[in-house]
């Protein structure tokens, strides 16, 4: 599949993209209070500790929200319609955005179980989800 | 305890296209027309709040207040450019009220305009970037209708709302627009649930008629000490209660607030400050960029229990003649959505009803109005309760 915008990493998200290049989905864990979150901040959102660790997600989750797009909203998505935009809640309790791929977009519903897959896009390896 | 702050004047441009006006020109034009409409002199205004101009037209001026103050010949102690998306103009009223109570100002002009460029090849990606994470969300192709669609899909799955219920919100808004000569859809006739569901899908679950109509426009309110308001107009809109909430800035971070939004907290704060309950509210203005959001807000604010907003609108409760007239000017769905100034339209409709200035579409019983607005994809929220008696 082609098209789609490339991520724009920053120093905080770079470890995440280093992980995806090895086909690993990394998340943050606070050693002080146990909160789990994405690589978007350097302070724990619950307790502001900077004592943070990394763990690898199992890649299993469920669809928390989904929308089926039939008309490309901008040129970068022209080759990908119809596509599903979704929020996936990972079993570790962290939510992330994704497409739902390798299926009929019209059959994707909230609540369905999904599993991690990968898409090569330019210099990046992008996490995607497919029906489990 | 009686209200010490009120809205003493309201003004809105007829929504439509104003190609001859740049974003800043539109600010100048609204200021000129509002001040003339209210018959004010420079000595009558000692505060000015505006929003960044040009955001949805692609070139933002984040210091619009400085230019307006200068152009109006003012030398004043209170002025700022405030940026909070659709929540901006209600938050302006709260900031003006705080300044008035503090003695910083007595009479604050709050003004907002917008030119909502039609979603074409460039604008969609640009606007999506304002509401989405550059690294973790943009690669998946988000855009405004799709982001709202995510929220709606979870609301429908968890709270049982159906496509027919979303469509019924659009039907209700259109009924109000037919009574409002300023609304874009005033002459467009009624729509039915079937017609909404048959209109082209934009992003499932939204059809074309589930979406608001981009346009240009703007308006202003004058927020003053209550005693000054009584000198300036026959029926002020007193600020009885309010609440404000700020939290996530992307849907990936929303968590449970995706459908249990900040509106739960802001409305509870507003009712508490006002010493009122839901039964005291005559009319509601609930930000409706898409048909799903009034359903979510009706439940979050507590006008109906969770899982029942669909039944509520299907019963006609929000229509003309219903028990809770909602979006009485036609809403963003049928009045028009002026981009970054849309929150001003929602506020203004509540204000003009309470001030008894809605003319042809004046609701008979509009003693107390609740206005709820939010910025971004339901990220930051504000509720305000306005009334005819202090």
């Amino acid at each position: 599949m082609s098209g789609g915008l490339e991520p724009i990493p920053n120093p905080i998200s770079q470890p995440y993209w280093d992980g995806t290049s090895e086909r690993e989905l990394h998340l943050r864990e606070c050693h002080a209070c146990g909160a789990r979150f994405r690589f978007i901040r350097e302070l724990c959102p619950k307790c502001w500790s900077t004592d943070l660790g990394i763990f690898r997600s199992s890649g299993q989750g469920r669809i928390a929200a989904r929308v089926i797009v039939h008309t490309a909203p901008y040129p970068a998505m022209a080759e990908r319609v119809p596509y599903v935009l979704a929020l996936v809640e990972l079993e570790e309790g962290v939510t992330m955005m994704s497409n739902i791929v390798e299926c009929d977009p019209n059959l994707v519903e909230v609540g369905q179980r999904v599993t991690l897959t990968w898409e090569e896009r330019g210099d990046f390896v992008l996490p995607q989800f497919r029906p489990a | 305890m009686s209200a010490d702050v009120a809205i003493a004047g309201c003004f809105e441009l007829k929504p439509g296209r104003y190609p001859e006006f740049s974003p800043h020109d539109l600010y100048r034009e609204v200021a000129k027309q509002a001040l003339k409409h209210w018959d004010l002199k420079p000595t009558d205004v000692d505060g000015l709040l505006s929003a960044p101009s040009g955001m949805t037209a692609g070139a933002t001026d984040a210091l619009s207040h400085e230019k307006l103050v200068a152009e109006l010949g003012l030398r004043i102690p209170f002025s700022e450019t405030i940026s909070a998306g659709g929540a901006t103009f209600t938050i302006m009223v709260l900031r003006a009220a705080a300044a008035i109570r503090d003695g910083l100002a007595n009479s604050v002009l709050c003004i907002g305009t917008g030119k909502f460029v039609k979603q074409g090849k460039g604008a969609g990606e640009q606007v999506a970037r304002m509401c989405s994470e550059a690294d973790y969300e943009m690669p998946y192709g988000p855009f405004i209708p799709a982001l709202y669609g995510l929220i709606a899909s979870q609301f429908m799955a968890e709270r049982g709302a159906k496509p027919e219920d979303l469509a019924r919100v659009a039907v209700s808004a259109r009924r109000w627009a037919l009574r409002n000569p300023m609304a874009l859809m005033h002459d467009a006739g009624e729509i039915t649930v079937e017609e909404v569901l048959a209109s082209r899908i934009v992003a499932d679950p939204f059809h074309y008629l589930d979406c608001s109509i981009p346009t240009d426009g703007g308006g202003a309110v004058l927020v003053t000490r209550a005693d000054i308001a009584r000198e300036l107009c026959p029926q002020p809109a007193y600020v009885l209660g309010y609440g404000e909430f700020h939290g996530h800035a992307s849907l990936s971070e929303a968590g449970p607030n995706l459908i249990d939004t900040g509106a739960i907290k802001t409305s509870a704060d507003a009712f508490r400050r006002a010493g009122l309950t839901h039964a005291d509210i005559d009319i509601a203005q609930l930000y409706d960029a898409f048909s799903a959001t009034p359903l979510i807000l009706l439940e979050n604010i507590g006008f109906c229990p969770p899982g029942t907003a669909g039944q509520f609108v299907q019963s006609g409760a929000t229509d003309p003649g219903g028990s809770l007239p909602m979006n009485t000017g036609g809403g963003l769905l049928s009045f028009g959505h002026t981009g970054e100034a849309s929150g001003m339209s929602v506020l203004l409709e509540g204000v003009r009803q309470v001030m008894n200035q809605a003319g042809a579409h004046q609701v008979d019983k509009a003693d107390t109005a609740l206005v709820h607005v939010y910025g971004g994809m339901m990220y930051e929220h504000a509720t305000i309760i306005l009334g005819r008696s202090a």
Side-chain angles (χ1 to χ4, degrees):
Chain A
M1 195 177 310
S2 59
L5 296 163
E6 289 188 19
I8 302 177
N10 55 63
I12 292 177
S13 68
Q14 190 60 54
Y16 175 88
W17 297 112
D18 292 342
T20 65
S21 70
E22 306 290 316
R23 287 171 167 69
E24 294 188 0
L25 183 62
H26 289 164
L27 297 171
R28 274 287 193 207
E29 189 168 49
C30 174
H31 289 144
C33 77
R36 292 170 149 182
F37 48 99
R38 297 174 302 138
F39 277 81
I40 66 169
R41 51 172 77 86
E42 290 179 310
L43 300 178
C44 171
K46 293 281 180 276
C47 71
W48 283 356
S49 170
T50 52
D51 184 13
L52 307 179
I54 303 176
F55 72 98
R56 183 180 175 183
S57 167
S58 68
Q60 307 310 307
R62 67 174 274 284
I63 296 174
R66 73 94 182 97
V67 62
I68 305 168
V69 180
H70 295 277
T71 305
Y74 32 85
M77 296 305 286
E79 291 163 54
R80 301 182 69 101
V81 287
Y83 65 93
V84 179
L85 183 70
L87 290 174
V88 172
E89 187 179 346
L90 298 166
E91 65 180 11
E92 293 89 0
V94 175
T95 298
M96 59 182 283
M97 190 169 282
S98 183
N99 300 125
I100 309 298
V101 298
E102 297 172 32
C103 64
D104 178 352
N106 297 296
L107 300 180
V108 176
E109 299 295 351
V110 173
Q112 288 173 345
R113 300 222 315 281
V114 291
T115 190
L116 186 60
T117 183
W118 300 99
E119 177 189 328
E120 289 174 14
R121 187 180 297 179
D123 296 331
F124 295 90
V125 182
L126 196 69
Q128 290 283 17
F129 284 85
R130 60 177 173 76
Chain B
M1 194 184 77
S2 77
D4 47 359
V5 174
I7 295 173
C10 64
F11 171 81
E12 189 162 21
L13 278 181
K14 193 176 196 317
R17 291 301 179 188
Y18 292 89
E20 70 275 31
F21 291 133
S22 71
H24 189 72
D25 288 339
L26 213 47
Y27 260 105
R28 237 188 252 118
E29 185 65 19
V30 168
K32 178 184 81 180
Q33 290 196 34
L35 295 173
K36 200 159 159 55
H37 180 60
W38 301 332
D39 194 26
L40 294 183
K41 301 283 171 289
T43 44
D44 296 322
V45 173
D46 60 0
L48 185 147
L49 296 173
S50 62
S53 62
M55 281 175 71
T56 47
T60 304
D61 178 356
L63 295 167
S64 62
H65 72 288
E66 292 186 348
K67 294 178 183 58
L68 286 167
V69 167
E71 287 163 4
L72 293 173
L74 295 171
R75 295 284 189 269
I76 55 177
F78 177 68
S79 181
E80 188 174 341
T81 303
I82 295 188
S83 184
T88 301
F89 311 95
T90 294
I91 286 178
M92 279 182 185
V93 176
L94 308 193
R95 299 292 179 265
I100 289 166
R101 290 195 188 99
D102 193 38
L104 272 181
N106 297 295
S107 179
V108 182
L109 173 62
C110 300
I111 179 168
T113 69
K115 293 174 74 70
F116 196 172
V117 175
K118 257 182 134 115
Q119 296 295 284
K121 290 209 183 309
E125 182 183 324
Q126 195 170 54
V127 177
R129 282 193 184 282
M130 286 190 330
C131 297
S132 309
E133 298 174 3
D135 41 11
Y136 297 125
E137 294 185 337
M138 287 308 294
Y140 299 106
F143 59 111
I144 301 299
L147 292 171
Y148 272 110
L150 287 175
I151 299 171
S153 75
Q154 189 179 95
F155 184 71
M156 294 165 84
E158 308 269 329
R159 301 285 147 85
K162 300 186 179 24
E164 294 76 10
D165 300 329
L166 273 62
R168 188 61 178 80
V169 171
V171 168
S172 180
R174 178 62 65 89
R175 289 190 175 156
W176 286 105
L178 299 181
R179 301 157 76 98
N180 181 3
M182 288 236 303
L184 285 179
M185 295 290 109
H186 176 59
D187 297 315
E190 285 228 13
I191 51 176
T192 64
V193 166
E194 291 69 33
E195 283 169 339
V196 177
L197 296 178
S199 62
R200 167 177 69 86
I201 288 247
V202 170
D204 187 302
F206 295 128
H207 304 82
Y208 180 74
L209 290 173
D210 285 306
C211 308
S212 55
I213 308 166
T215 187
D216 302 343
V221 292
L222 189 72
V223 183
T224 70
R225 270 185 7 222
D227 58 316
I228 294 175
R230 284 187 279 276
E231 291 167 26
L232 290 178
C233 68
Q235 177 57 77
Y238 293 97
V239 176
L240 303 181
Y242 49 86
E244 191 179 326
F245 175 85
H246 306 270
H248 55 282
S250 69
L251 290 192
S252 296
E253 280 298 293
N257 293 146
L258 192 69
I259 61 174
D260 288 325
T261 74
I264 294 173
K265 181 111 205 341
T266 62
S267 58
D269 285 343
F271 281 118
R272 178 180 51 79
R273 286 196 168 99
L276 296 175
T277 68
H278 300 82
D280 298 312
I281 303 299
D282 297 317
I283 63 171
Q285 311 300 331
L286 308 180
Y287 193 94
D288 59 333
F290 291 82
S291 58
T293 60
L295 297 175
I296 296 170
L297 294 174
L298 282 167
E299 290 188 11
N300 282 185
I301 293 169
F303 283 119
C304 55
T308 68
Q311 281 163 247
F312 189 75
V313 296
Q314 295 286 3
S315 76
T318 63
D319 292 356
S323 60
L324 184 70
M326 182 180 85
N327 297 345
T328 53
L332 303 178
L333 290 171
S334 273
F335 172 85
H337 183 313
T338 60
E340 62 264 43
S342 51
M344 180 59 96
S345 297
V346 178
L347 173 68
L348 279 169
E349 179 60 18
V351 169
R352 69 171 61 93
Q353 290 285 350
V354 170
M355 293 186 75
N356 207 13
Q357 292 185 12
H361 75 284
Q362 179 67 46
V363 176
D364 285 340
K365 190 157 199 308
D367 293 334
T368 312
L370 181 144
V371 174
H372 186 84
V373 287
Y374 57 81
M377 302 293 99
M378 308 191 92
Y379 300 154
E380 49 190 341
H381 293 257
T383 307
I384 190 166
I385 297 176
L386 302 167
R388 287 186 174 156
S389 307

